[in-house]
Amino acid sequence: MIVALSVVASSLAATAQMQYRNPIIAGYHPDPSICRVGNDYYLVNSSFQYFPGVPIYHSRDLVNWELIGNVLNRESQLPLKGASSWLGIYAPTIRYNDGIFYMITTNVGNGGNFMVTATDPRGPWSEPIWLSQQGIDPSLYFEQGKCYMVSNPDNTIMLCQIDPTTGRQLTTSKPLWQGTGGRYPEGPHIYKKDGWYYLLISEGGTELAHRLTMARSRSIEGPYEACPDNPLLTHCSLAGQNSQIQGTGHGDLTDTPDGRWWMVLLAYRNYGGSYHHIGRETFLAPVEWKKGEWPVVNGGQPIDTLMTVANVPTPVNYIPQQAKRHIHTTFDKPLGHEWVYIQNPNMACYNSIDGLLRLTASAATLRDNLKPTFVGRRQESANFTATTFVDFFESMTGDEAGLTVYQINDGHADFCLSPDAMGSRLMLKVHLKGLDTVKRSTELPLCRCHLRVRSDGTMYYFEYSTDGKKFRLLDKLDCSLLSTEVVGGFTGAMIGMYATTTPRNAVTGPSYADFSYFDYQED
């Protein structure tokens, strides 16, 4: 899957001003970490309760990215029992050393800190190597045959040396820095440049007060002195307060083959006021880092959705990209890397039969957070249309199947069919913080229908068709109701297909829904 990004290429020399669009990876892609191997860049994101976990992207230019897999694709690597969008896989770090890729992260609620390794970033990746030093957001630094780990137990950035093969801790944990006073000092990364060890962290929490700060030392063990110009980047400022982009933080630095520096970081975009529902996304900012000095991110200014820079990494001539992204999924082959499940799925509930995706209904509902029958993909644009056709003929009263806009188990909108004495009932059901509402419903003669969800960034529109040609609006929902500010969580909106049954019906016999396609188009 190629992430669609608009890049306006200059016809002038490489030193001319060029433009690219943020975010570089849209939709729920928080906590980016990056490494470069030659001319290739690899980037990973946190994944929380979704399986498979830790999506990994590849790029040659830092702007256009391709999803090449998921690092954690086996239950033995990724146990997710009880995980919600508050738990599961927190911020990963990816590093490369002596022919081996390392991904280190935290499984909150199911084991703590661990790392996996691979010789090919597309996998396979190893089984987990569990680590002693806890705290979240662990990172690795390699130097002269030694492997160092940093994380943040007790709100303090701590350093230890580990064996990268076994994970055994070789030195006691040593405190390095507690930041500048912002809450939740986390996301540490160490870099060495011009004889200095630089420690980049995030502070303030991953909300409005999020910021990136830095300290440095002549010794990796410290003492570290804070940058006099901290924070390096924040939108919680006079300059950034009116931007659509907020929550800037959790960054990682990379250099280019020609010696320039760039930062990837997370931020979110507000819609309809101070609300964000698509999730925390991956952004890119230029960095000026003169010899012996502190790095300066984007000239000390806030970042924007359209960035103008002196130049971007080669190749110079990008393909101008304003085209709409259109992905049509059929079910006659395995699902692509973008498709994920909630927690560790019961794969017996997911089958491809004669080109249809058959979902066997589970007694676990979307609000139960007990690995319901659900498969979905990230909403990656504020303006999109998602359409499917569902046949729920093999079902009983009380069962339901259809499309869901899912933010968290405490916040989702379900556009579903449910059989009844008249044939079927088409409903828009909304679950918000323990409140269940059937917002609108209508009767259909059969339990099969084309379902469509579209959005303009402020509203979701739920439409249906019995012939696949003429669609009618059932109802609409304000996007802010599914925002992080309203329902919580660390993730973003997912568009998925699901099927549920009642505990009583589950005893009687399985019911299932057949989906014939899934069409996703950014408008």
Side-chain angles (χ1 to χ4, degrees), residues 236-420:
C236 188
S237 63
L238 285 174
Q241 65 180 340
N242 294 322
S243 174
Q244 182 194 24
I245 301 171
Q246 293 297 326
T248 51
H250 202 105
D252 197 4
L253 291 160
T254 186
D255 63 350
T256 63
D258 60 2
R260 287 174 290 152
W261 287 86
W262 292 80
M263 175 183 283
V264 294
L265 66 143
L266 72 76
Y268 56 82
R269 292 176 290 169
N270 282 332
Y271 291 92
S274 298
Y275 300 95
H276 75 281
H277 62 286
I278 299 177
R280 298 170 297 158
E281 306 171 290
T282 295
F283 290 71
L284 178 70
V287 177
E288 184 181 20
W289 202 346
K290 295 180 180 180
K291 185 175 181 179
E293 298 184 9
W294 298 94
V296 178
V297 181
N298 196 39
Q301 298 301 310
I303 62 172
D304 206 343
T305 52
L306 179 63
M307 297 288 292
T308 302
V309 298
N311 53 57
V312 290
T314 55
V316 175
N317 293 316
Y318 291 102
I319 299 173
Q321 186 284 118
Q322 288 283 4
K324 301 175 182 179
R325 193 153 64 100
H326 185 193
I327 301 172
H328 187 79
T329 302
T330 56
F331 303 118
D332 51 356
K333 55 186 177 181
L335 293 175
H337 300 307
E338 69 272 24
W339 292 92
V340 294
Y341 308 88
I342 296 173
Q343 303 169 341
N344 303 116
N346 177 4
M347 292 309 298
C349 294
Y350 306 84
N351 293 282
S352 178
I353 299 176
D354 297 329
L356 304 173
L357 177 63
R358 176 164 293 180
L359 300 187
T360 300
S362 167
T365 69
L366 295 175
R367 64 181 179 274
D368 293 329
N369 201 46
L370 295 171
K371 59 181 183 184
T373 299
F374 162 97
V375 61
R377 51 157 298 139
R378 292 160 174 83
Q379 178 186 338
E380 295 175 326
S381 173
N383 301 278
F384 79 97
T385 300
T387 313
T388 191
F389 177 78
V390 58
D391 186 335
F392 204 29
F393 180 74
E394 293 293 337
S395 57
M396 295 170 276
T397 301
D399 298 347
E400 61 183 63
L403 283 176
T404 180
V405 182
Y406 182 92
Q407 178 70 240
I408 185 175
N409 64 303
D410 277 339
H412 46 92
D414 310 327
F415 192 30
C416 59
L417 288 170
S418 183
D420 63 14

Side-chain angles (χ1 to χ4, degrees), residues 61-384:
D61 58 24
L62 289 174
V63 174
N64 297 285
W65 292 87
E66 178 186 5
L67 179 63
I68 60 173
N70 291 279
V71 173
L72 306 176
N73 57 18
R74 306 187 298 275
E75 187 170 353
S76 58
Q77 297 171 310
L78 184 56
L80 289 171
K81 183 178 181 180
S84 69
S85 61
W86 299 106
L87 302 173
I89 296 296
Y90 277 32
T93 294
I94 186 169
R95 293 293 183 259
Y96 178 81
N97 185 65
D98 289 340
I100 299 175
F101 289 89
Y102 296 81
M103 191 284 295
I104 183 172
T105 188
T106 312
N107 188 338
V108 179
N110 282 281
N113 287 334
F114 70 97
M115 63 182 179
V116 291
T117 63
T119 56
D120 184 340
R122 291 167 174 79
W125 292 75
S126 73
E127 289 299 299
I129 302 168
W130 296 99
L131 304 164
S132 297
Q133 181 171 292
Q134 293 303 300
I136 61 170
D137 304 354
S139 183
L140 297 174
Y141 174 76
F142 294 89
E143 185 178 41
Q144 296 181 348
K146 295 181 179 180
C147 177
Y148 297 91
M149 170 187 170
V150 283
S151 60
N152 76 334
D154 301 319
N155 283 316
T156 302
I157 307 303
M158 304 285 282
L159 172 81
C160 69
Q161 187 180 337
I162 65 171
D163 183 327
T165 302
T166 65
R168 184 169 67 92
Q169 187 166 328
L170 304 178
T171 63
T172 58
S173 299
K174 181 179 178 61
L176 299 186
W177 196 40
Q178 290 185 309
T180 62
R183 67 175 185 162
Y184 306 139
E186 58 193 19
H189 296 301
I190 291 177
Y191 317 89
K192 190 175 185 181
K193 185 178 183 295
D194 308 325
W196 290 95
Y197 293 91
Y198 290 86
L199 175 60
L200 175 69
I201 73 167
S202 296
E203 300 183 49
T206 185
E207 304 124 10
L208 281 175
H210 214 196
R211 66 196 68 175
L212 285 156
T213 59
M214 180 172 272
R216 71 180 182 180
S217 172
R218 289 292 188 183
S219 168
I220 195 170
E221 294 185 349
Y224 281 81
E225 60 173 308
C227 173
D229 296 321
N230 276 328
L232 298 185
L233 178 66
T234 184
H235 279 210
C236 188
S237 63
L238 285 174
Q241 65 180 340
N242 294 322
S243 174
Q244 182 194 24
I245 301 171
Q246 293 297 326
T248 51
H250 202 105
D252 197 4
L253 291 160
T254 186
D255 63 350
T256 63
D258 60 2
R260 287 174 290 152
W261 287 86
W262 292 80
M263 175 183 283
V264 294
L265 66 143
L266 72 76
Y268 56 82
R269 292 176 290 169
N270 282 332
Y271 291 92
S274 298
Y275 300 95
H276 75 281
H277 62 286
I278 299 177
R280 298 170 297 158
E281 306 171 290
T282 295
F283 290 71
L284 178 70
V287 177
E288 184 181 20
W289 202 346
K290 295 180 180 180
K291 185 175 181 179
E293 298 184 9
W294 298 94
V296 178
V297 181
N298 196 39
Q301 298 301 310
I303 62 172
D304 206 343
T305 52
L306 179 63
M307 297 288 292
T308 302
V309 298
N311 53 57
V312 290
T314 55
V316 175
N317 293 316
Y318 291 102
I319 299 173
Q321 186 284 118
Q322 288 283 4
K324 301 175 182 179
R325 193 153 64 100
H326 185 193
I327 301 172
H328 187 79
T329 302
T330 56
F331 303 118
D332 51 356
K333 55 186 177 181
L335 293 175
H337 300 307
E338 69 272 24
W339 292 92
V340 294
Y341 308 88
I342 296 173
Q343 303 169 341
N344 303 116
N346 177 4
M347 292 309 298
C349 294
Y350 306 84
N351 293 282
S352 178
I353 299 176
D354 297 329
L356 304 173
L357 177 63
R358 176 164 293 180
L359 300 187
T360 300
S362 167
T365 69
L366 295 175
R367 64 181 179 274
D368 293 329
N369 201 46
L370 295 171
K371 59 181 183 184
T373 299
F374 162 97
V375 61
R377 51 157 298 139
R378 292 160 174 83
Q379 178 186 338
E380 295 175 326
S381 173
N383 301 278
F384 79 97

